Every structure is written in structure tokens, then in C-alpha cells.
Amino acid sequence: MERINYTLLTEFLLTGIPYPLRLKTFLFAFFLLLYILTQLGNLLILITVWADPQLHARPMYIFLGVLSVIDMGISSIIVPRFMMNFILGITPIPFGDCVAQLYFYHFLGSTQCFLYTLMAYDRYLAICRPLHYTVLMTAKLSTLLVAGAWVAGSFHGALQAMLTFRLPYCGPNQVDYFFCDIPAVLRLACADTTVNELVTFVDIGVVVASCFSLILLSYIQIIRAILRIRTADGRRRAFSTCGAHLTVVTVYYVPCAFIYLRPETNSALDGAAALFPTAITPFLNPLIYTLRNQEVKMALRRMLGGPKTKSEI
């Protein structure tokens, strides 16, 4: 049997996304501003939830604080290297850094999927079973659920990273993407990737489909319960809280399904879709949860020493 010698890669080149060269300074400034606002916005929510005694003991805001940590993490492992391509051009990423980037992206991304499901379940209990809510969803239980989401996310990220990088990579080393993700990296493997593609499709498909189905079932019950609320103000407040969550879930899940749950292609639309879970959703979350959540706005006002509203007096 003939033995094949491979010269294994030690680095990859991330080409980024296609863009007109005349816009590189504008795009760098845009993504730099987006990154700074993402970090500041999520940090503000994290500090608000931690500092306000009316929020940090409530499960919904424990979940929101964890979501802010995840958003800051996802943005930090993707956006800084991505935006430097606009200034420095295509620069190599060491093999180990590529492994770490893929692992942490899928670790945090899957944890976020699980967290969105927990947030939907929390809202279901709060609206559909309000008399039993404090018994069914305690601070201790919510902490255990969050810990479970972190563990499951870590396992998912490790599985995807090990499956992807167990294959030999012997050249070329140009990744047609703006970060190390499974579909783009697998195209460079010097071996059959059929098993990897199947496992990736099934694994990510199960996570996305199960989480999204549970969220959908929760909100069907929530909407039915909201429509039974007699007062218009009560319906408005319930829809406001749940509308924020549904907006975030839609912006996050639709691009993920587009990237991972369709036949293998190499389209520029993949990069555009991937900007949503990596850069845009982490930026939008603080805006959505502060602008559409009265309790967070009131907590911010209390923390900043602003005048009280009628609802706080």
C-alpha cells in the first residue's frame, strides 16, 4: 500500500468578505464602532442586573446577564480580527488560533441557543402559570439550568472542533470566510469530509431544531395566555417583554439555519448571513432588551439617579 506524505498546514489565511476597496476605511470604522457599542451595551446590562437588587435575584434577568456575557464573548473572538483585515489586509491566523476560534464560537453559540430556550420557558411559566412561578423557577434552579447550558455548549463546541481538525490539512490554506468556521475550513481538508458534514448537519440540526421547536411551543402557549388577559395594559406589557425575546430569536436562528442546514455551497451570502450571529445580534440585544423592557429601563434610571416614573412611585 502506497504511503502518502502530507505537509500539514501551520496557519490559515482568512480572506474576509468581498467589499469595494474604496470602502475599507469606512468598513473598519463601522465595525470598530459596532464592536465598541456591543461591548459597552452588554457591559451596561450586566452591571445593571448585578447592581439592582430588584433584578439580580430574578431568573429572567439572570438569563439576561448571562446572555450579555455570551454576546461580549462571541463579538470578541470574531470581530477584532475581522475588522483588522480592512486595514492590514489578509493576515495569517495560526493553526491553534483557528482551532480555538472555531471551538469558542460553537461553544458560545450553542450555549446561546440553549439560553434562548431557557428564557422562553421562563416567560412561559411567568405568563401561563404565574401563581406557581416562584415555586417552579427559583434562583437556584435558574443557576443550575444556566450551568447545564454552559456544559452542553462546551461539549458541542469540543465535538465540532475535534471532528473538524482531526482531518489532515495540507494546502491550500486560504479560507474563503472571515473566521474559522466548519463549512469553510472543511473545504481545505485533504481527506473525505462526508462523515464530518453529516455529523455537523445532524448535531447542529438537532440543537437548532429542538431549541427552536421548544421556543415556538412556549410562545404558542404564551400568546394564547396573553389573549386571555382582560386589560389592554396587561396585554401590552406582556407582548412587550415577549416581543423582545422573539425579535432576538428570529434574528439569531434564521441566519444560523441558512448557514448550516442547507446543501453545501460557497456563496458570498454565507458571509453576510454569518455577520448576524457574530456581530449584529450581539449589538442588537442590549438595544432590544433596554428599549422594549420597562423594568430594565427603570433599573437603569435608578442606577443613574434619574427621576422616578409613576410606576416606580
Side-chain angles (χ1 to χ4, degrees):
M1 182 176 179
E2 183 181 359
R3 184 175 179 179
I4 300 175
N5 292 321
Y6 292 114
T7 301
L8 299 180
L9 298 179
T10 59
E11 62 184 23
F12 292 99
L13 296 175
L14 300 175
T15 62
I17 58 175
Y19 66 93
L21 289 178
R22 66 180 182 275
L23 295 179
K24 67 178 183 179
T25 303
F26 167 78
L27 290 171
F28 172 78
F30 172 78
F31 282 103
L32 176 61
L33 179 62
L34 191 72
Y35 176 71
I36 292 172
L37 292 177
T38 296
Q39 298 301 307
L40 291 178
N42 282 289
L43 184 61
L44 181 61
I45 284 187
L46 194 60
I47 292 172
T48 303
V49 171
W50 177 79
D52 193 286
Q54 296 185 32
L55 296 185
H56 68 233
R58 296 177 57 184
M60 175 182 176
Y61 296 102
I62 293 174
F63 297 146
L64 183 56
V66 175
L67 180 63
S68 293
V69 172
I70 292 173
D71 283 335
M72 294 169 69
I74 289 177
S75 178
S76 294
I77 63 176
I78 304 295
V79 176
R81 181 176 286 275
F82 165 59
M83 67 186 182
M84 292 308 296
N85 275 11
F86 296 120
I87 298 299
L88 302 178
I90 299 176
T91 55
I93 177 173
F95 189 92
D97 289 3
C98 189
V99 175
Q101 190 179 59
L102 187 146
Y103 164 72
F104 280 108
Y105 173 67
H106 283 274
F107 165 33
L108 295 175
S110 56
T111 303
Q112 192 165 26
C113 284
F114 300 137
L115 189 65
Y116 283 146
T117 308
L118 294 179
M119 293 173 76
Y121 178 63
D122 175 76
R123 291 300 83 203
Y124 161 76
L125 291 179
I127 293 174
C128 299
R129 305 187 65 181
L131 298 179
H132 303 92
Y133 175 75
T134 55
V135 176
L136 295 173
M137 182 62 76
T138 63
K140 181 179 179 180
L141 177 60
S142 62
T143 303
L144 290 174
L145 291 173
V146 167
W150 282 110
V151 171
S154 179
F155 176 79
H156 172 83
L159 175 64
Q160 293 300 334
M162 287 188 295
L163 285 174
T164 301
F165 292 102
R166 72 179 179 84
L167 299 174
Y169 292 89
C170 51
N173 68 340
Q174 185 169 296
V175 180
D176 294 328
Y177 218 52
F178 64 92
F179 71 101
C180 291
D181 198 13
I182 298 167
V185 173
L186 283 181
R187 295 188 195 108
L188 306 182
C190 303
D192 183 24
T193 62
T194 303
V195 174
N196 288 68
E197 292 169 5
L198 179 61
V199 173
T200 297
F201 180 84
V202 172
D203 182 35
I204 295 179
V206 167
V207 171
V208 171
S210 59
C211 289
F212 187 76
S213 297
L214 290 172
I215 291 171
L216 187 62
L217 288 174
S218 296
Y219 274 96
I220 289 173
Q221 297 300 318
I222 287 170
I223 291 171
R224 290 174 60 186
I226 289 174
L227 294 176
R228 290 198 295 266
I229 297 176
R230 295 181 180 179
T231 64
D233 183 62
R235 287 194 298 270
R236 181 188 60 78
R237 293 185 63 181
F239 270 122
S240 177
T241 301
C242 297
H245 187 201
L246 279 176
T247 302
V248 170
V249 166
T250 302
V251 172
Y252 184 81
Y253 275 98
V254 171
C256 288
F258 177 81
I259 295 167
Y260 299 108
L261 303 183
R262 65 191 179 97
E264 173 64 18
T265 60
N266 188 9
S267 169
L269 291 176
D270 289 347
L275 286 173
F276 280 88
T278 57
I280 297 174
T281 301
F283 167 72
L284 290 177
N285 278 345
L287 296 177
I288 291 172
Y289 279 106
T290 53
L291 294 179
R292 300 196 61 181
N293 190 302
Q294 293 297 324
E295 291 177 318
V296 173
K297 287 194 288 186
M298 289 189 294
L300 279 170
R301 194 176 293 113
R302 288 193 296 269
M303 188 174 70
L304 297 175
K308 293 185 178 182
T309 62
K310 291 181 179 180
S311 59
E312 296 178 272
I313 298 175

